Amino acid sequence: AQKITQTQPGMFVQEKEAVTLDCTYDTSDPSYGLFWYKQPSSGEMIFLIYQGSYDQQNATEGRYSLNFQKARKSANLVISASQLGDSAMYFCAMSAMDSSYKLIFGSGTRLLVRP
Amino acid sequence: SAVISQKPSRDICQRGTSLTIQCQVDSQVTMMFWYRQQPGQSLTLIATANQGSEATYESGFVIDKFPISRPNLTFSTLTVSNLSPEDSSIYLCSAGQGGEKLFFGSGTQLSVL
């Protein structure tokens, strides 16, 4: 069975600094995808970044990068140069690359950016 | 990227009634899903909406309580039936071509009195 673990219920970061949000996963599937989503207080889920299990390089999307360590089964999100608007819940998720593409989510990390 | 419109954005319903949530995607997509997010919790998959056939429900979710339709590749509805206060949650539609990008609608905040 697949499982996603986010061990940080809450994090603080100073504006303009970088922050790492942790995510570990467990799966027996040889092919899978890892996602990060941002959920502001409005409730919408905003796609941030994707990493495929066979991707050789770490994914990057603007200020977001995914530190993918396959042997450790970790997929940490790094946000550089934090902004006040980054304050939100962040969810790590995984999908099996079979035909289902169902997402399994971690419990989330609430990030607060201090001015 | 797909743009997903979900409505209503929020509703307050009486116990015993039903609410139907609509999800419209601006392009044809292979996959459509419905998720529930209970207060302070993470997201849980309710079902996969299959085009032209019955939805595939996850353990703990049944068709009588959460009937789903998907008449074409751009549209789906979720009905939450016989509402109780325990159904108060955010319901989210997700869609994509599978693989790298799965996008979400803005969610429906349901409160049941």
Side-chain angles (χ1 to χ4, degrees):
Chain A
Q2 296 180 322
K3 186 177 180 181
I4 291 278
T5 302
Q6 294 179 256
T7 57
Q8 306 155 313
M11 291 277 289
F12 290 97
V13 65
Q14 204 67 33
E15 191 178 10
K16 300 180 184 177
E17 293 185 349
V19 62
T20 298
L21 306 184
D22 294 341
C23 173
T24 58
Y25 61 91
D26 191 17
T27 182
S28 57
D29 295 317
S31 181
Y32 51 89
L34 295 158
F35 301 75
W36 277 93
Y37 290 88
K38 171 184 177 181
Q39 187 178 43
S41 57
S42 57
E44 62 186 310
M45 291 288 285
I46 302 169
F47 168 80
L48 295 179
I49 199 166
Y50 167 86
Q51 178 86 42
S53 58
Y54 291 116
D55 293 341
Q56 296 295 317
Q57 292 189 323
N58 287 342
T60 60
E61 293 278 357
R63 293 187 299 112
Y64 305 107
S65 61
L66 199 152
N67 184 1
F68 180 47
Q69 298 188 43
K70 194 171 184 177
R72 295 186 176 183
K73 294 188 174 180
S74 73
N76 298 338
L77 176 70
V78 180
I79 306 174
S80 62
S82 296
Q83 302 171 357
L84 296 178
D86 294 334
S87 295
M89 281 291 288
Y90 288 82
F91 289 97
C92 181
M94 176 170 62
S95 70
M97 292 292 110
D98 57 11
S99 59
S100 71
Y101 295 109
K102 298 184 292 187
L103 288 178
I104 296 173
F105 284 83
S107 55
T109 296
R110 181 171 297 282
L111 177 67
L112 288 178
V113 180
R114 291 171 167 156
Chain B
S1 63
V3 176
I4 303 173
S5 301
Q6 189 175 333
K7 59 181 181 182
S9 58
R10 60 179 64 241
D11 207 342
I12 301 173
C13 298
Q14 295 295 322
R15 185 193 301 254
T17 63
S18 298
L19 176 70
T20 295
I21 304 167
Q22 297 181 0
C23 179
Q24 178 74 55
V25 190
D26 69 341
S27 60
Q28 293 186 344
V29 291
T30 308
M31 322 297 296
M32 291 187 78
F33 306 93
W34 287 98
Y35 288 83
R36 181 177 73 181
Q37 186 179 25
Q38 294 176 301
Q41 303 294 315
S42 186
L43 281 75
T44 301
L45 180 64
I46 297 172
T48 302
N50 300 310
Q51 192 263 328
S53 64
E54 192 172 288
T56 304
Y57 290 85
E58 297 300 302
S59 176
F61 297 96
V62 295
I63 187 171
D64 289 347
K65 177 67 175 176
F66 299 99
I68 289 170
S69 76
R70 189 179 173 191
N72 55 51
L73 292 176
T74 64
F75 185 78
S76 177
T77 66
L78 167 72
T79 299
V80 188
S81 304
N82 189 24
L83 289 167
S84 68
E86 292 71 33
D87 295 319
S88 297
S89 298
I90 299 174
Y91 292 86
L92 294 125
C93 169
S94 172
Q97 294 291 62
E100 298 186 14
K101 293 185 178 179
L102 292 169
F103 297 97
F104 282 82
S106 54
T108 297
Q109 175 76 61
L110 170 61
S111 299
V112 183
L113 303 179

